[in-house]
Amino acid sequence: MGSPMRDEWDPVVERFLDWVDSRSKAHQGERLRNTRRAYQRDLAQFMAYCSGHSIPPQSTRPKHIDDFLTGLLNEKTHIPQPLRPSTRNRKRASLSSFYRYLRQQEIVSINPVQDVRGFPKTKGLIQPLTLDEIGIIRQVCPPEDRMLFEFLLS
């Protein structure tokens, strides 16, 4: 059995997920199931956070959302490393949709997520070609383009 706070919110979360399903007619099949699972996982994490910090979800403020998103760690690797910005932004979007739903249902008066900035996306470093990759390109490169390739390689 979960905490009383989480148990109280389980039906609300389930109604929200049903609402997401009903509005996602364009997301048929596997994509809809993936979206639902992601929202469900994100909200379970957030409800655990609220419960662990004695914050009723209806009393959540932007600072709580920011602290939750900033404190998330990679649960797949169990290594204390921050999640990628894109993952945090997806979780932020899940919470924003949830609070938008709660406002429509008049369960909360504000959406605390709207005042929380998204995480800037980081650009991956460009990886240099390996010697094997360079060799393959040299083999398939037409003679008229080879000089340009060698120039770019230098």
Side-chain angles (χ1 to χ4, degrees):
M1 185 162 164
S3 72
M5 187 183 312
R6 283 182 71 184
D7 291 343
E8 174 187 334
W9 279 84
D10 283 348
V12 177
V13 169
E14 193 57 39
R15 284 195 307 272
F16 165 71
L17 294 171
D18 291 342
W19 177 78
V20 168
D21 290 347
S22 71
R23 296 184 48 87
S24 301
K25 302 223 185 289
H27 297 81
Q28 298 298 321
E30 189 62 28
R31 190 169 176 196
L32 175 60
R33 283 189 293 280
N34 289 341
T35 299
R36 183 184 176 93
R37 279 193 300 264
Y39 274 40
Q40 197 166 22
R41 194 171 43 249
D42 296 344
L43 291 172
Q45 284 180 321
F46 181 67
M47 291 300 160
Y49 168 85
C50 288
S51 180
H53 290 83
S54 301
I55 303 166
Q58 69 272 24
S59 300
T60 301
R61 296 293 172 242
K63 169 125 179 63
H64 302 133
I65 302 289
D66 192 50
D67 289 349
F68 166 71
L69 293 171
T70 302
L72 287 171
L73 299 177
N74 191 329
E75 68 265 357
K76 286 183 184 175
T77 61
H78 303 288
I79 296 172
Q81 65 185 23
L83 294 174
R84 291 187 319 248
S86 59
T87 302
R88 290 176 192 226
N89 285 335
R90 193 212 63 237
K91 290 178 182 295
R92 182 189 171 283
S94 297
L95 293 175
S96 185
S97 293
F98 179 61
Y99 275 96
R100 190 169 36 255
Y101 168 80
L102 294 179
R103 282 200 67 202
Q104 289 175 353
Q105 300 300 309
E106 298 180 354
I107 296 171
V108 299
S109 59
I110 64 160
N111 180 346
V113 185
Q114 71 187 22
D115 293 329
V116 176
R117 295 178 110 177
F119 292 83
K121 294 181 182 176
T122 57
K123 295 183 179 183
L125 295 175
I126 298 173
Q127 298 297 316
L129 295 173
T130 65
L131 293 176
D132 289 338
E133 292 168 331
I134 292 171
I136 292 169
I137 293 172
R138 282 181 172 143
Q139 287 176 357
V140 298
C141 190
E144 60 271 12
D145 295 335
R146 188 147 192 194
M147 187 182 284
L148 177 60
F149 174 70
E150 295 295 337
F151 171 75
L152 293 173
L153 197 57
S154 61

